Structure formats: C-alpha cells, structure tokens
C-alpha cells in the first residue's frame, strides 16, 4: 500500500449521509414533540438523550469516527469522560447541599 | 530520467493526513472544554433556579430555534457531501456544496440577527433595565443565552471564513481528490459547531 492509499481512505457514497441527515431531522422533530408533552423531570432527560443520539450520529458518520482508526475514538471517549466526570463531581456536591 | 527524479521527490514530501486530522481533533477537544465549562455553569444555575429558567425560556421563539436547527443539520450534510464529491473527482460539485454550506450558515446568522433584534426591541439584552428588574433566574438565563448562542454564532462566522478559504483552495487545485485533508478538517470543525447547537437548542428553546 503506498502513501496515497493511507491518506485517502474511507470513501463512501452519498446515500449514508442523506440517511443520517433524515434521521437527524426526525430526531429534531421528536425532541420538539416530546418537549410539548408535560412529563415532569423526564423532559430534560429525554431531551438530553435525544441530543446525545444526534451527537453520536454526527460524530460517527459525519465526522467519520466509525471509519477512522480506533485511536480517534479512544481520544474522543477520553475527552468526553473528563467532561462527564466534571458534571458528576459537581452534581454529587450540589445535589446534597 | 529527469521526470523520474521529479516524481521521486514528490513522493517523499512529508505528508501525514492522519496526523493532521488527529491534530484537528485535539483542537476540537479544547473547544469542548470551552463550551463544556459554559454548559456546567448553565446546569448549576438551572438546578438552583428551575422555575425561573422555565418561565424565561417561554420568551424564546421555538419556531425560529427549530428552523435554525434544521438549517444547521442540513449544512452539516452539504459539508460532508462536498468531501465525497471531491473524493469522486467532482470539483465543481464539491464547490457547489461548499457554497451551499456557506449559504446555509449565513441563513442561520440572519435568523439569529432577527431573533436577537426582536429581543433587543423588547428591552431584553444584558444589562438592560427591563432585564435587571426581573428575578435573578431570569437575568441568569438570558445572560447564558446571549453568551452561549453568541459564542456559538462567532464559531459559525469563523466556519464561514474557513469554508470560503476551502472554496478558494478547491478552485486553485490545492484541495484535490487525493489531497483534501484541509477540507476534511474544516468539515470536522463545522460538525462540532453543529453538535454544540444540538445541545444548545433543547436546553434553551425546549424547556418551557
């Protein structure tokens, strides 16, 4: 394999991206619809859950994490881990004040 | 013989696209920390002022917010498709999709402009008399709203400038079917801006 092949991998067709885009639009519709229903404390949980799924789709497909070398995913997970840790530590303090 | 030498020299030019993309990802993590800090501030104030955030959010226009979400998601699609087009050696198609991405980004900013000016007309802007007469949760909500969507908007403008440069590079043949890492990194940046909006949208527009 010469250098060019390493540098220009993962060439997809257009199809998968259009599908993901449709999925993202559907999830946007869903999150707006769910926000209209009063389900108390679950509203924020559902909204964040849907937002996370959308973010995952963008990361995995649009940003090519799925076809990228594994080290990229490891990096992204470490970054996400530290952000989530900050939230957990903060709220483990705030929730019990 | 001389041609062979030339080819030999070109092959040995240092090029590391994986390294370039990894570098971009590292930069994106610093952006994550920048916005992540603000999301932490938001979550704490939302936790301590739940009712007030609820009421303040009702003053935001959900329709414009939803519309802008659709615009930004679509711009992410045109961005990624422009990369596929350049991979398939369709330079003009790639240029068209890059232009569409810029167009959608500007459309997003125009909506933002109308949204903000409407708020200004109602006297809602940081430090305004109307806002300062409200309760502290209300002031915090709009302070965070202007700060976070403002910083996001700044990123959209930076994205537009970067994609403009990519259009120039594509046009001049610097970005080509076998060397498009610059365009791809710009795409990574653009998708991150999209991801941030994916979280901003429900947290500000959909908590009524």
């Amino acid at each position: 394999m010469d250098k060019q092949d390493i540098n220009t991998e993962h060439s997809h067709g257009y199809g998968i991206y259009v599908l993901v885009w449709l999925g993202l639009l559907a999830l946007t519709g869903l999150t707006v619809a769910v926000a209209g229903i009063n389900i108390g404390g679950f509203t924020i949980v559902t909204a964040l859950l849907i937002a996370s799924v959308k973010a995952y789709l963008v990361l995995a497909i649009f940003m090519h994490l799925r076809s990228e070398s594994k080290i990229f995913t490891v990096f992204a997970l470490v970054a996400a881990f530290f952000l989530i840790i900050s939230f957990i530590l903060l709220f483990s303090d705030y929730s019990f004040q | 013989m001389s041609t062979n030498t030339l080819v030999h020299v070109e092959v040995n030019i240092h090029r590391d696209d994986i390294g370039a993309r990894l570098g971009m990802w590292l930069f994106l993590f610093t952006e994550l920390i920048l916005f992540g800090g603000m999301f932490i501030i938001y979550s704490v104030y939302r936790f301590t002022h739940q009712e007030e955030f609820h009421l303040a959010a009702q003053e935001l226009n959900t329709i414009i917010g939803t519309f802008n979400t659709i615009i930004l998601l679509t711009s992410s699609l045109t961005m990624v498709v422009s990369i596929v087009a350049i991979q398939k050696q369709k330079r003009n198609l790639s240029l068209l999709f890059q232009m569409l991405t810029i167009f959608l980004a500007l459309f997003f900013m125009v909506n933002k402009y109308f949204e903000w000016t409407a708020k200004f007309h109602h006297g809602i802007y940081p430090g305004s008399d109307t806002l300062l007469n409200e309760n502290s949760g209300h002031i915090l909500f709009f302070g965070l709203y202007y700060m976070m969507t403002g910083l996001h908007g700044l990123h959209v403008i930076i994205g537009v400038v970067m994609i403009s440069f990519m259009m120039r590079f594509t046009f001049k043949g610097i970005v080509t079917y076998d060397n498009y890492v610059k365009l791809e990194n710009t795409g990574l940046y653009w998708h991150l801006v999209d991801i941030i909006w994916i979280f901003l949208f429900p947290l500000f527009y959909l908590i009524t």
Side-chain angles (χ1 to χ4, degrees):
Chain A
M1 195 197 265
D2 70 9
K3 216 167 189 166
Q4 229 173 49
D5 284 331
I6 301 171
N7 284 322
T8 56
E9 60 190 340
H10 62 72
S11 173
H12 301 292
Y14 301 101
I16 174 107
Y17 298 119
V18 176
L19 269 178
V20 166
W21 171 69
L22 287 173
L24 289 169
L25 290 186
L27 285 169
T28 304
L30 184 68
T31 194
V32 173
V34 168
I37 311 163
N38 193 1
I39 43 173
F42 286 110
T43 315
I44 180 72
V45 178
T46 325
L48 285 179
L49 217 64
I50 295 173
S52 304
V53 174
K54 285 166 81 180
Y56 168 78
L57 282 176
V58 174
L59 283 163
I61 312 293
F62 283 179
M63 294 172 91
H64 304 133
L65 267 190
R66 209 181 54 159
S67 47
E68 205 58 272
S69 134
K70 280 281 166 285
I71 192 73
F72 286 79
T73 312
V74 173
F75 270 43
L77 285 176
V78 169
F81 174 76
F82 278 102
L83 188 66
I84 291 166
I85 278 289
S86 324
F87 272 95
I88 291 174
L89 287 180
L90 190 78
F91 275 92
S92 64
D93 181 16
Y94 255 94
S95 310
F96 300 110
Q97 271 184 4
Chain B
M1 186 64 197
S2 65
T3 328
N4 277 341
T5 322
L6 195 68
V7 168
H8 184 72
V9 169
E10 279 200 348
V11 166
N12 272 317
I13 288 174
H14 177 72
R15 186 178 149 196
D16 181 3
D17 286 1
I18 294 175
R21 291 201 298 272
L22 203 53
M24 191 65 198
W25 276 94
L26 287 175
F27 167 70
L28 295 187
F29 297 150
T30 70
E31 293 276 19
L32 182 74
I33 298 303
L34 174 67
F35 278 96
M38 289 185 183
F39 278 109
I40 286 175
I41 296 170
Y42 170 93
S43 62
V44 168
Y45 283 136
R46 166 133 186 216
F47 185 71
T48 53
H49 300 79
Q50 277 182 26
E51 260 326 293
E52 290 138 308
F53 265 46
H54 228 61
L55 292 171
Q58 283 174 7
E59 286 176 36
L60 292 184
N61 190 331
T62 313
I63 295 168
I64 290 193
T66 312
F67 198 52
N68 262 351
T69 306
I70 294 168
I71 291 173
L72 218 53
L73 289 175
T74 311
S75 79
S76 255
L77 174 72
T78 54
M79 184 75 228
V80 79
V81 162
S82 83
I83 296 169
V84 182
I86 200 85
Q87 284 171 339
K88 292 183 187 294
Q89 305 195 38
K90 290 173 182 159
R91 195 181 69 148
N92 288 337
L93 193 65
S94 176
L95 279 169
L96 175 74
F97 278 117
Q98 289 175 48
M99 201 171 73
L100 269 174
T101 312
I102 292 176
F103 175 75
L104 288 166
L106 293 176
F107 198 20
F108 177 92
M109 289 312 288
V110 167
N111 281 337
K112 203 93 235 147
Y113 167 80
F114 282 120
E115 199 185 359
W116 277 30
T117 40
K119 284 274 162 300
F120 288 171
H121 279 303
H122 290 106
I124 301 171
Y125 51 89
S128 74
D129 292 336
T130 322
L131 197 57
L132 290 180
N133 283 326
E134 299 278 356
N135 54 48
S136 59
H138 211 95
I139 299 170
L140 284 169
F141 179 85
F142 277 103
L144 284 164
Y145 165 75
Y146 279 115
M147 185 66 212
M148 290 175 84
T149 62
L151 189 68
H152 177 265
L154 184 68
H155 278 76
V156 171
I157 293 168
I158 294 168
V160 167
V161 173
M162 279 172 68
I163 301 165
S164 306
F165 272 105
M166 290 314 125
M167 281 191 73
R168 189 181 155 79
F169 288 161
T170 312
F171 187 74
K172 295 195 106 182
I174 297 170
V175 168
T176 57
Y177 76 97
D178 63 348
N179 190 356
Y180 51 83
V181 72
K182 287 187 180 71
L183 181 64
E184 203 167 10
N185 279 348
T186 307
L188 288 177
Y189 180 82
W190 191 250
H191 298 312
L192 182 91
V193 171
D194 193 21
I195 289 178
I196 290 164
W197 183 260
I198 284 174
F199 283 97
L200 284 180
F201 170 62
L203 291 180
F204 281 103
Y205 292 85
L206 298 179
I207 60 165
T208 49

